[in-house]
Amino acid sequence: MKEVPTKKLQPFGVLVLVISTIVVVISANLWKGDLKVMGVRVKGNRIVTEKEILSLAKIDTSARLFAIDLFAVQQRVLANKFIQSVTVSRDVPAGVEITVGERTPVAGVAMDRIYYLDKDGFILPPVRSENIFDLPVLTGTFIRNGMSPGKQVLDAGMREALAILATAQLIDDELYRRISEVHIDGNSDLILYTAEYGVPVLFGHGEVGSKLVKFDSFWKTFVPLHGAQELQYIDLRFEDQVVVRWNHDKSEIQKSSVHLNILAKEHTWTTLL
């Protein structure tokens, strides 16, 4: 059986192919080398202004696009403590794209001025943007020494207070907005204060998720009936129940129980009338 002879590329053909490839590569490099930065686009920012990010990036818009040091740009933008992550890329042929991820504040703390804290306890600088935060504040006794933007708080009470607020956000934004203050007093019980009428909520320590669910369910069930102004305090420190003191009748205190199904589990609300 005869073998079909395979065509071999002639030396001249190989030479033409090599030269063509070299020409294409050189042309592409010359084209890339001639590209200028036509513009810089910023994405993902909500708190830090585009103007501030561009000022930190310091990208020369007259420079060649492929001469820009992307890593250096990234490090300069990360100098803003509100910025958690930065991705810098070339958007050929338009210019450079900067995508940022910001730290989201969950609470404010008053020191020499208002500073913001994210859920992980990182201290954020004062905001210089159009965004004005209406956030819960942390008050009371806690370690203030060495607190500066970019650092992470180590105080156990502050970390627990932030965990409460971050969990409330996850459960329901309305629940989070219901909290106006978390008071910290050393190792004593944490106390929340509601945005409506400043009702004290004795929170204690631990079991953050279950306590917040009980609080949220109680508030939505009973407060519309009686009014927040009638509440003296709410106590969440007891297992499977919420103890409440109302203003209705101070001369006589009696206990009553109401059973509700919450998360397929029965809880008892004990109200002091």
Side-chain angles (χ1 to χ4, degrees), residues 223-244:
V223 173
L225 299 175
H226 301 281
Q229 73 277 5
E230 293 299 325
L231 279 165
Q232 287 190 33
Y233 66 79
I234 300 172
D235 195 339
L236 304 176
R237 295 173 298 175
F238 300 93
E239 186 177 357
D240 292 338
Q241 62 180 331
V242 175
V243 176
V244 183

Side-chain angles (χ1 to χ4, degrees), residues 77-98:
V77 175
L78 281 171
N80 186 296
K81 302 309 178 184
F82 257 106
I83 308 262
Q84 184 172 19
S85 63
V86 182
T87 301
V88 185
S89 58
R90 294 181 180 89
D91 185 14
V92 179
V96 178
E97 185 172 278
I98 302 173

Side-chain angles (χ1 to χ4, degrees), residues 13-241:
V14 174
L15 181 61
V16 170
L17 181 60
V18 171
I19 292 174
S20 299
T21 303
I22 293 173
V23 169
V24 170
V25 171
I26 292 174
S27 299
N29 286 329
L30 289 173
W31 175 74
K32 286 169 58 177
D34 287 337
L35 288 176
K36 296 293 182 67
V37 178
M38 298 174 63
V40 181
R41 183 168 60 167
V42 177
K43 295 170 58 180
N45 62 310
R46 185 181 64 87
I47 300 167
V48 184
T49 64
E50 180 176 319
K51 181 179 179 181
E52 188 168 359
I53 292 172
L54 293 176
S55 176
L56 288 169
K58 295 180 181 177
I59 295 175
D60 183 359
T61 53
S62 66
R64 289 185 171 85
L65 179 59
F66 280 84
I68 300 296
D69 187 337
L70 302 184
F71 179 74
V73 173
Q74 179 193 51
Q75 296 306 301
R76 289 195 291 268
V77 175
L78 281 171
N80 186 296
K81 302 309 178 184
F82 257 106
I83 308 262
Q84 184 172 19
S85 63
V86 182
T87 301
V88 185
S89 58
R90 294 181 180 89
D91 185 14
V92 179
V96 178
E97 185 172 278
I98 302 173
T99 304
V100 300
E102 296 174 320
R103 293 189 180 278
T104 303
V106 298
V109 57
M111 294 187 287
D112 55 326
R113 49 187 172 177
I114 293 292
Y115 287 89
Y116 299 98
L117 301 172
D118 74 352
K119 63 182 179 62
D120 298 315
F122 281 98
I123 304 168
L124 308 174
V127 177
R128 296 187 300 275
S129 76
E130 296 177 357
N131 290 277
I132 299 175
F133 298 111
D134 182 16
L135 300 175
V137 295
L138 306 186
T139 61
T141 305
F142 43 82
I143 300 172
R144 297 171 185 266
N145 294 335
M147 289 183 64
S148 60
K151 291 189 176 181
Q152 191 174 24
V153 298
L154 301 177
D155 185 88
M158 294 183 75
R159 297 297 292 266
E160 187 172 8
L162 292 171
I164 291 170
L165 295 174
T167 305
Q169 266 188 328
L170 290 174
I171 294 173
D172 185 358
D173 189 64
E174 183 182 344
L175 169 62
Y176 169 70
R177 298 295 172 190
R178 192 176 299 134
I179 303 169
S180 67
E181 178 187 341
V182 182
H183 186 75
I184 304 160
D185 187 10
N187 294 323
S188 300
D189 290 329
L190 293 173
I191 302 175
L192 315 184
Y193 289 89
T194 64
E196 189 177 355
Y197 289 99
V199 179
V201 180
L202 309 181
F203 197 88
H205 299 281
E207 299 179 0
V208 171
S210 61
K211 287 180 179 178
L212 286 172
V213 168
K214 288 188 296 183
F215 171 51
D216 189 43
S217 300
F218 169 82
W219 191 276
K220 289 177 178 176
T221 304
F222 287 99
V223 173
L225 299 175
H226 301 281
Q229 73 277 5
E230 293 299 325
L231 279 165
Q232 287 190 33
Y233 66 79
I234 300 172
D235 195 339
L236 304 176
R237 295 173 298 175
F238 300 93
E239 186 177 357
D240 292 338
Q241 62 180 331

